[in-house]
Amino acid sequence: MPNVDLDFADTLVLEVGGRRMELVSVPGGETTDSLVVWLPEERICLCGNTFGPLFGHIPNLVTMRGDQYRDALAAIASIERVRALRPEILVTGHFDPITGAELIYCELTRLRDAITYVHDQTVAGMNAGKDVETLMREIVLPAEYDVGQGYGTVAWDVRAIWENYSGWFHHRSTTELYPVGFDAVAADVVDLAGADAIVDRARAHLVSGRPGASDPPCRADRAGPPGRP
């Protein structure tokens, strides 16, 4: 582990080689100790992956490789903090820099509003007694909050928000409380229903498109980060 000899809680101002740099805490990024480097004179923000690897796309509040859930409200606050800087250039962790103050401001506004919408709709659904799978299917972004889903998806973020607040017990069955998964009874299901019947049903679902019914649509205009080819 590195030996930290300089830390800060919110903002740290440095002058290096005659250039002013501000280190700004954005705990809603990929880690709780995330920060951006703000160059106020040049109006350049080095933000890394604060908004995920694809700028203009909804962030992943939980990664498939395994990690702690990322808090949606912290992500919203971090986006708002960078947006308030009004940068003219964003240097992200991937691809070329994003240029244009108006483009950056508008994209960050839409991203902030999209995450806020997903969070608020998820909480409202939880309070209404809806289960997580229902909310994953039902919650979609309205046109005014439409952002890309090339890395994270709305459905995944719904689940991350739901479980971040409610935990892993989904209140569907007490079987969730025991160390027994579906694979423990899968062989019994095959014996009872018959392998051919199960395969036929799976093929029927595949033909009808049911496996991907809740997948986000691919959008050509959101295939890559805005402002980039």
Side-chain angles (χ1 to χ4, degrees):
M1 295 290 292
N3 182 26
V4 178
D5 56 7
L6 179 63
D7 60 8
F8 65 96
D10 185 77
T11 304
L12 178 66
V13 178
L14 302 172
E15 187 165 327
V16 180
R19 172 170 289 155
R20 179 186 173 93
M21 300 180 181
E22 298 178 10
L23 309 185
V24 181
S25 174
V26 284
E30 289 197 324
T31 64
T32 55
D33 61 351
S34 291
L35 60 86
V36 300
V37 179
W38 172 236
L39 307 179
E41 295 178 5
E42 297 86 353
R43 307 208 65 76
I44 297 174
C45 181
L46 290 80
C47 60
N49 285 351
T50 299
F51 315 114
L54 296 176
F55 181 69
H57 289 238
I58 201 160
N60 224 348
L61 296 179
V62 60
T63 61
M64 299 303 105
R65 66 177 178 269
D67 200 349
Q68 293 181 335
Y69 291 129
R70 296 164 184 167
D71 183 76
L73 297 181
I76 293 166
S78 294
I79 292 169
E80 182 59 22
R81 186 151 202 199
V82 174
R83 190 181 79 109
L85 296 173
R86 291 279 188 158
E88 296 180 2
I89 298 176
L90 279 183
V91 180
T92 66
H94 300 269
F95 307 105
D96 296 333
I98 311 295
T99 60
E102 188 63 24
L103 170 67
I104 293 169
Y105 187 82
C106 289
E107 286 293 335
L108 290 179
T109 300
R110 180 159 43 201
L111 185 60
R112 177 203 63 187
D113 293 346
I115 301 172
T116 300
Y117 180 86
V118 173
H119 172 271
D120 292 352
Q121 290 297 307
T122 302
V123 172
M126 293 174 70
N127 289 334
K130 294 186 177 182
D131 62 75
V132 65
E133 283 83 7
T134 297
L135 294 177
M136 289 173 71
R137 291 191 301 269
E138 290 184 351
I139 296 176
V140 295
L141 291 172
E144 62 268 28
Y145 302 147
D146 185 29
V147 294
Q149 297 185 56
Y151 178 62
T153 72
V154 169
W156 296 349
D157 284 355
V158 167
R159 182 163 192 158
I161 294 166
W162 200 101
E163 294 191 352
N164 195 33
Y165 283 134
S166 191
W168 53 263
F169 182 44
H170 289 196
H171 311 281
R172 291 173 302 199
S173 169
T174 55
T175 58
E176 297 177 38
L177 302 174
Y178 298 94
V180 179
F182 177 75
D183 56 341
V185 298
D188 294 330
V189 173
V190 173
D191 287 341
L192 291 169
D196 291 340
I198 292 175
V199 170
D200 289 343
R201 181 63 59 89
R203 285 174 175 160
H205 287 322
L206 184 62
V207 170
S208 67
R210 183 175 176 185
S214 61
D215 290 345
C218 294
R219 286 272 308 274
D221 60 339
R222 288 288 178 180
R228 301 173 185 164

